């Protein structure tokens, strides 16, 4: 009994000397994303894509395992925001989200546009000019949040859905006038539908304020700083040793 108590005491003292250990489950992180090709999507039962490849490389560098799950964006967003040590990726950073998450770093480039059908010949000098039209968005997506902050309203000039490919179909069928989307995703979805992107997509307005930094990987605000810093260091390493550039060349 004395030996057991002494052992417990020794481990307790060791914990004090070494400081707090990694949070429970840190060796295998829960990693959330959505169907957002070519950044992240499911192919033959496996989550893949450029952002996914980058996140996997970061986790490997940090000596961590990832339990990857794909789900509707609003659900992934809420889960990561309110959970400890749950990683979310391909997330846009904006003032509304700034304090809700701890930001690891940029993992993928992006540029947002309001897209229209080429035959509509819609061009805007100011975003407010689009408020008279119907815009396709995805629930809680950074594009939707951006437009709401600019005075657009769900159910009035915003048509919100849960899948990006549905919005492309809405645009093609004339059910909406505009579609707010990252260019790489828009082009990918057009090609997947068997279309020539230049024949179905026209850039009506470049949203320079949105996504200029790129997409991030992030944790909820209650995540320990040590875990965030561990992944940030790993991300910096793969960007410095050529791994990131090799993945970008392969995927983009």
């Amino acid at each position: 009994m004395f030996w057991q108590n002494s052992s417990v005491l020794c481990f307790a003292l060791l914990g004090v000397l070494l400081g707090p250990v990694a949070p429970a489950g840190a060796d295998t992180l829960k990693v959330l994303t959505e169907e957002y090709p070519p950044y992240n999507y499911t192919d033959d039962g496996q989550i893949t894509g450029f952002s996914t490849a980058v996140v996997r490389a970061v986790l490997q560098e940090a000596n961590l395992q990832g339990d990857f799950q794909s789900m509707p964006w609003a659900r992934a967003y809420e889960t990561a925001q309110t959970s400890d040590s749950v990683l979310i990726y391909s997330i846009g950073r904006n003032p509304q989200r700034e304090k809700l998450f701890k930001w690891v770093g940029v993992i993928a480039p992006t540029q947002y546009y309001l897209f229209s059908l080429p035959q509509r010949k819609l061009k805007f000098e100011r975003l407010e000019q689009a408020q008279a039209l119907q815009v396709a968005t995805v629930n809680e997506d950074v594009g939707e949040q951006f437009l709401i902050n600019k005075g657009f309203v769900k159910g009035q000039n915003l048509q919100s859905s849960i899948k990006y490919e549905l919005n492309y179909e809405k645009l093609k069928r004339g059910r909406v006038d505009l579609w707010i989307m990252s260019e790489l995703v828009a082009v990918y979805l057009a090609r997947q539908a068997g279309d020539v992107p230049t024949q179905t997509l026209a850039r009506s307005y470049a949203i320079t304020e949105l996504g200029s930094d790129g997409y991030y990987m992030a944790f909820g605000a209650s995540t320990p700083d040590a875990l965030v810093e561990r992944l940030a260091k790993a991300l910096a390493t793969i960007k410095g040793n050529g791994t990131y550039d090799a993945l970008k060349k392969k995927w983009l």
Side-chain angles (χ1 to χ4, degrees), residues 61-235:
E61 179 65 32
N63 197 28
L64 294 168
Q65 298 293 319
D67 176 16
F68 285 75
Q69 298 177 37
S70 177
M71 59 185 64
W73 180 252
R75 181 180 162 201
Y77 180 79
E78 175 70 17
T79 301
Q81 178 186 325
T82 57
S83 301
D84 180 344
S85 304
V86 172
L87 182 66
I88 188 170
Y89 69 96
S90 291
I91 180 172
R93 188 172 184 174
N94 60 21
Q96 180 178 339
R97 296 174 172 178
E98 187 64 33
K99 294 184 179 180
L100 301 178
F101 295 91
K102 290 184 177 179
W103 304 90
V104 175
V106 175
I107 59 171
T110 187
Q111 174 59 58
Y112 276 82
Y113 291 91
L114 286 177
F115 287 98
S116 63
L117 295 175
Q119 59 267 32
R120 295 287 305 275
K121 299 186 184 303
L122 296 175
K123 277 287 186 180
F124 309 112
E125 293 181 0
R126 303 184 315 277
L127 181 62
E128 303 82 61
Q129 294 175 288
Q131 289 186 337
L133 302 174
Q134 292 292 307
V135 186
T137 63
V138 161
N139 188 33
E140 292 296 341
D141 173 75
V142 69
E144 181 178 274
Q145 291 179 345
F146 173 82
L147 292 179
I148 289 173
N149 286 336
K150 294 296 183 180
F152 289 73
V153 180
K154 272 189 184 184
Q156 293 186 20
N157 48 14
L158 297 185
Q159 291 191 23
S160 185
S161 66
I162 63 171
K163 291 186 177 181
Y164 297 94
E165 57 266 31
L166 293 180
N167 289 338
Y168 177 62
E169 288 300 318
K170 285 181 183 179
L171 183 68
K172 277 207 312 179
R173 296 174 185 275
R175 292 168 54 193
V176 294
D177 304 295
L178 300 164
W179 176 30
I180 186 168
M181 192 71 271
S182 166
E183 184 173 30
L184 279 175
V185 179
V187 169
Y188 180 92
L189 291 176
R191 287 173 176 160
Q192 285 296 104
D195 300 326
V196 178
T198 55
Q199 296 177 1
T200 58
L201 296 172
R203 303 181 189 90
S204 293
Y205 184 78
I207 305 177
T208 56
E209 311 101 302
L210 188 60
S212 58
D213 289 340
Y215 291 125
Y216 283 73
M217 54 196 301
F219 288 99
S222 62
T223 302
D225 289 339
L227 180 58
V228 181
E229 292 166 5
R230 181 175 176 181
L231 266 68
K233 182 178 179 180
L235 177 59

